[in-house]
């Protein structure tokens, strides 16, 4: 029997804790959601007790806050400000260093430390899709990011299907959904009802199957399976936002001179928050850092943003000098020209760019306005 054909099982809260204990015993660094500094953040977990039991979130454009829940659920919250990109494609990474000896000889040393063996617990379906997109971008072409590749190959993914979409979520309209697509090692669906607090678990890989063998579990009953599926299906109909049902790739290409870009430029701070919280944005730059003697230098790779004025700086100045041009570049690349490069959209509908924009700019609202303007022009 293949892992994907294996019957679903059920873990209770003690079983979930045993799962984390088994991962730690394997030497894995377990990372999952927890509450810190007034937000749902990703952090290393020593046990399942650190999961955000009894916490949810309320969010809207430019607004986010934690709220308590009476049901004690661990995964009843939408995506927080961090994505798994922070671990697979870190914000800052040393590439190499160079040292000059007293005789003037320069020796280069590649930074090739063994990456942690991660286990990501609670990966949302939108983030599971985002990881697949980053895989395609950073390992699927001629210019592989070797650091990303090493970390990704050693990472185990435990998805948590969505039963509580947020007000800024729009994954369904981007072709995804609250159910987990293939790509996970294990997939959890949380159920809290009069029969107790438990997790329906599906197996997606041989490694996931081996892990599950080490954890106390029981065969899934029909009630738990039905309740889990109903909860996920209901979440599909409760998305807080939706992208207009149009050909986004064609719309962006036809809207390069739209008046709407001027409207958004008056509100956009070009802070780059949307690119920092986006789970698929991948742009980086490099910088050299030297010590005071000048005998030691290091090259670091760090995240960059197309909203940065220097991002497109060439001889004579930046190519995109205005907020209008930089916002247009981001949105057009995300929804249109990403297809030309990677045969997929760059947006998974997680809604982070909406919630964490200090000006409350809503990507779905902007696309709807562009669609309306384009429709008026073609009438």
């Amino acid at each position: 029997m293949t892992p994907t054909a294996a019957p679903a099982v059920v873990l209770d809260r003690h079983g979930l804790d045993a799962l984390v204990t088994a991962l730690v015993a394997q030497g894995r660094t377990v990372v999952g959601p927890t509450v810190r500094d007034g937000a749902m953040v990703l952090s290393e977990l020593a046990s399942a007790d650190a999961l955000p039991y009894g916490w949810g979130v309320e969010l809207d454009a430019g607004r986010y806050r934690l709220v308590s829940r009476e049901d004690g659920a661990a995964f009843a919250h939408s995506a927080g400000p961090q994505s798994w990109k922070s671990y697979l494609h870190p914000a800052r990474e040393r590439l190499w260093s160079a040292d000059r000896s007293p005789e003037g000889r320069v020796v280069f040393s590649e930074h090739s430390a063994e990456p942690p063996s991660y286990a990501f617990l609670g990966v949302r379906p939108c983030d599971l899709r985002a990881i697949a997109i980053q895989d395609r971008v950073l390992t699927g072409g001629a210019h592989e990011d070797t650091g990303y590749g090493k970390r990704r190959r050693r990472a185990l993914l435990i998805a948590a299907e969505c039963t509580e979409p947020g007000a800024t979520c729009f994954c369904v309209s981007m072709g995804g959904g609250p159910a987990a697509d293939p790509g996970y090692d294990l997939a959890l669906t949380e159920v809290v009802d009069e029969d107790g607090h438990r997790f329906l678990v599906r197996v997606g890989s041989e490694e996931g199957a081996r892990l599950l063998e080490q954890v106390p579990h029981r065969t899934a009953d029909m009630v738990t399976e039905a309740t889990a599926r109903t909860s996920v299906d209901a979440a599909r109909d409760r998305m807080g936002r939706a992208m207009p049902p149009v050909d986004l790739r064609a719309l962006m290409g036809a809207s390069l001179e739209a008046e709407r870009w001027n409207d958004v430029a008056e509100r956009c701070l070009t802070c780059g928050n949307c690119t920092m919280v986006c789970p698929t944005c991948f742009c980086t730059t490099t910088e050299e850092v030297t010590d005071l003697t000048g005998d030691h230098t290091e090259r670091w790779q760090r995240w960059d943003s197309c909203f940065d004025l220097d991002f497109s700086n060439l001889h004579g100045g930046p190519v995109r000098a205005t907020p209008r041009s930089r916002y247009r570049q981001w949105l057009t690349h995300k929804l249109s020209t990403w297809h030309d490069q990677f045969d997929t959209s760059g947006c998974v509908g997680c809604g982070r760019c909406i919630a964490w924009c200090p000006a409350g700019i809503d990507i779905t609202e902007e696309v709807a306005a562009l669609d309306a303007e384009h429709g008026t022009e073609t009438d």
Side-chain angles (χ1 to χ4, degrees):
M1 182 178 292
T2 62
T4 52
V9 304
V10 173
L11 300 181
D12 57 16
R13 283 189 55 168
H14 296 296
L16 186 61
D17 195 47
L19 181 69
V20 175
T21 299
L23 290 167
V24 173
Q26 291 179 1
R28 289 189 177 274
T29 299
V30 182
V31 180
T34 192
V35 171
R36 189 179 68 232
D37 299 331
M40 206 71 70
V41 300
L42 299 177
S43 184
E44 184 175 345
L45 306 178
S47 76
D49 290 340
L51 290 169
Y53 289 107
W55 286 101
V57 297
E58 285 184 358
L59 65 168
D60 210 326
R63 180 176 179 271
Y64 179 101
R65 74 184 184 104
L66 293 176
V67 293
S68 61
R69 296 178 59 92
E70 295 182 358
D71 60 7
F75 299 113
H77 55 84
S78 52
Q82 296 168 299
S83 70
W84 310 93
K85 178 177 75 170
S86 302
Y87 293 88
L88 293 174
H89 183 49
R92 197 162 182 265
E93 179 183 10
R94 187 171 66 183
L95 302 179
W96 51 256
S97 61
D99 292 279
R100 182 168 55 198
S101 70
E103 295 77 27
R105 182 169 175 264
V106 178
V107 178
F108 289 86
S109 302
E110 182 181 2
H111 181 69
S112 57
E114 191 70 11
S117 179
Y118 286 120
F120 295 153
L121 174 60
V123 181
R124 294 294 174 186
C126 56
D127 280 340
L128 192 65
R129 292 185 69 212
I131 291 172
I133 290 173
Q134 289 251 294
D135 288 349
R136 190 171 193 135
V137 171
L138 298 175
T139 66
H143 307 288
E144 177 181 354
D145 184 315
T146 56
Y148 177 92
K150 288 179 181 179
R151 287 182 289 271
R152 179 65 181 90
R153 285 188 289 271
R154 290 169 61 87
L156 184 140
L157 307 183
I158 303 175
E161 294 194 308
C162 181
T163 59
E164 292 285 345
T168 59
C169 294
F170 59 100
C171 65
V172 171
S173 62
M174 292 307 298
D181 291 334
Y184 56 82
D185 294 286
L186 294 175
L188 311 179
T189 310
E190 188 171 24
V191 176
V192 186
D193 59 17
E194 61 274 9
D195 293 325
H197 191 170
R198 58 209 187 276
F199 304 87
L200 182 74
V201 185
R202 302 196 314 277
V203 176
S205 72
E206 294 286 355
E207 189 167 11
R210 289 193 295 269
L211 174 62
L212 201 56
E213 290 175 356
Q214 305 175 43
V215 179
H217 61 269
R218 62 177 173 84
T219 302
D221 57 278
M222 294 179 63
V223 172
T224 298
E225 288 193 337
T227 302
R229 295 278 66 80
T230 299
S231 298
V232 174
D233 289 343
R236 176 177 290 274
D237 298 326
R238 300 202 319 273
M239 293 289 118
R241 296 287 202 280
M243 195 66 79
V246 299
D247 185 337
L248 298 177
R249 186 178 182 183
L251 175 62
M252 291 298 105
S255 301
L256 298 181
E257 301 304 324
E259 182 64 28
R260 182 67 182 190
W261 302 120
N262 293 326
D263 180 271
V264 72
E266 293 180 356
R267 294 173 282 131
C268 179
L269 305 177
T270 66
C271 64
N273 262 20
C274 50
T275 59
M276 297 297 104
V277 298
C278 177
T280 64
C281 279
F282 59 87
C283 289
T284 59
T285 188
T286 56
E287 59 186 9
E288 276 72 48
V289 181
T290 62
D291 66 3
L292 293 176
T293 68
D295 293 329
H296 176 82
T297 188
E298 298 176 350
R299 169 168 284 187
W300 288 77
Q301 176 179 279
R302 63 171 177 81
W303 288 354
D304 204 354
S305 172
C306 54
F307 282 92
D308 188 337
L309 186 60
D310 290 336
F311 183 82
S312 65
N313 192 57
L314 299 175
H315 177 70
V319 173
R320 292 183 285 274
T322 65
R324 169 192 165 107
S325 62
R326 297 202 290 280
Y327 187 89
R328 184 181 63 183
Q329 156 64 23
W330 173 72
L331 190 61
T332 302
H333 185 217
K334 186 66 60 178
L335 300 180
S336 179
T337 54
W338 201 297
H339 286 277
D340 300 325
Q341 291 178 283
F342 310 115
D343 295 322
T344 181
S345 172
C347 177
V348 295
C350 69
R352 288 183 175 96
C353 61
I354 304 172
W356 295 96
C357 173
I361 296 172
D362 181 340
I363 184 175
T364 64
E365 180 183 314
E366 297 310 314
V367 173
L370 289 170
D371 181 45
E373 182 175 340
H374 178 63
T376 301
E377 292 174 350
T378 54
D379 285 345

